[in-house]
Amino acid sequence: MIDEEIEQHALGILREFDALRFPVPIEAIAEAKGAVIARNHFSGTESGFALRQGRTKIIGVNTATSPRRQRFTIAHELGHLELHAEKALIVDHSVFLYNRDDLSSAGTDRQEIQANAFAAAILMPDELVHPKLQHEFSRGNFDSRDELIARMARAFDVSNEAMGYRLINLNYMTA
Ligand SMILES: [Zn+2]
């Protein structure tokens, strides 16, 4: 289920900036890749955007969303900047992140899947998830699957939802 090329791309960036530790410093990484992060409070459904204007790259983040969600948005928009250089502007809406059924364009859908895959790969690289998961299992101090997901999510500073998907996609859990 994972896209090996995108996984390697994300891992390469983490290694390039000596950032292979959790929680991944996604904002510093995006800035190191030349993006300016613009925070704004939008009352609409926008979660963020990726804008390219000449050499300028801007990642817009809606601060009306939770801090963990904002980290995912930065990672997702960085994914667009890294993978979709042909697009000058991509605006994302909260409802599209995991529920892609509403999207009419298959091309957009593919790009959103790729940006989500990139975000998961850079925020939750298997190189870090695997040892952390082993550590949690060796200590065994969780009573349920949900508690384990929440514990992992806290460590990586991502939403429980994002961590749950990631653990399934990495085949550590069944759907
Ligand atoms: Zn997107």
Side-chain angles (χ1 to χ4, degrees):
M1 252 178 111
I2 60 169
D3 184 326
E4 203 46 55
E5 220 168 287
I6 288 176
E7 294 286 324
Q8 290 306 320
H9 188 122
L11 190 57
I13 291 173
L14 290 171
R15 293 218 168 101
E16 180 185 355
F17 296 109
D18 197 20
L20 203 48
R21 62 183 182 277
F22 60 81
V24 166
I26 190 61
E27 188 162 346
I29 290 169
E31 286 172 347
K33 289 301 278 182
V36 173
I37 295 173
R39 290 191 150 80
N40 259 302
H41 189 285
F42 302 110
S43 54
T45 59
E46 299 89 353
S47 55
F49 64 82
L51 172 67
R52 194 189 307 270
Q53 211 166 37
R55 285 190 194 161
T56 306
K57 293 183 271 188
I58 297 174
I59 289 176
V61 184
N62 187 354
T63 55
T65 61
S66 73
R68 287 181 179 182
R69 179 50 203 275
Q70 290 176 41
R71 280 171 51 76
F72 194 91
T73 296
I74 291 169
H76 176 102
E77 303 306 340
L78 180 61
H80 281 314
L81 292 174
E82 287 290 309
L83 306 172
H84 309 132
E86 72 283 6
K87 287 277 198 82
L89 172 67
I90 297 176
V91 180
D92 286 300
H93 294 264
S94 300
V95 290
F96 288 170
L97 262 182
Y98 288 114
N99 180 7
R100 298 184 295 265
D101 296 344
D102 301 341
L103 285 180
S104 50
S105 158
T108 304
D109 190 41
R110 190 179 60 85
Q111 293 191 330
E112 292 316 311
I113 290 169
Q114 288 177 334
N116 280 342
F118 178 88
I122 200 162
L123 290 173
M124 298 164 279
D126 196 23
E127 276 67 11
L128 298 178
V129 168
H130 185 80
K132 177 63 175 163
L133 206 51
Q134 273 187 327
H135 176 76
E136 292 299 331
F137 271 107
S138 69
R139 293 178 58 178
N141 54 356
F142 54 91
D143 294 326
S144 68
R145 171 190 167 110
D146 282 353
E147 196 185 330
L148 176 61
I149 291 172
R151 202 176 272 272
M152 292 291 291
R154 205 177 311 128
F156 285 80
D157 202 8
V158 297
S159 69
N160 293 356
E161 188 187 24
M163 181 55 77
Y165 274 99
R166 182 61 168 165
L167 293 176
I168 291 166
N169 287 338
L170 288 172
N171 288 318
Y172 292 127
M173 286 182 176
T174 51

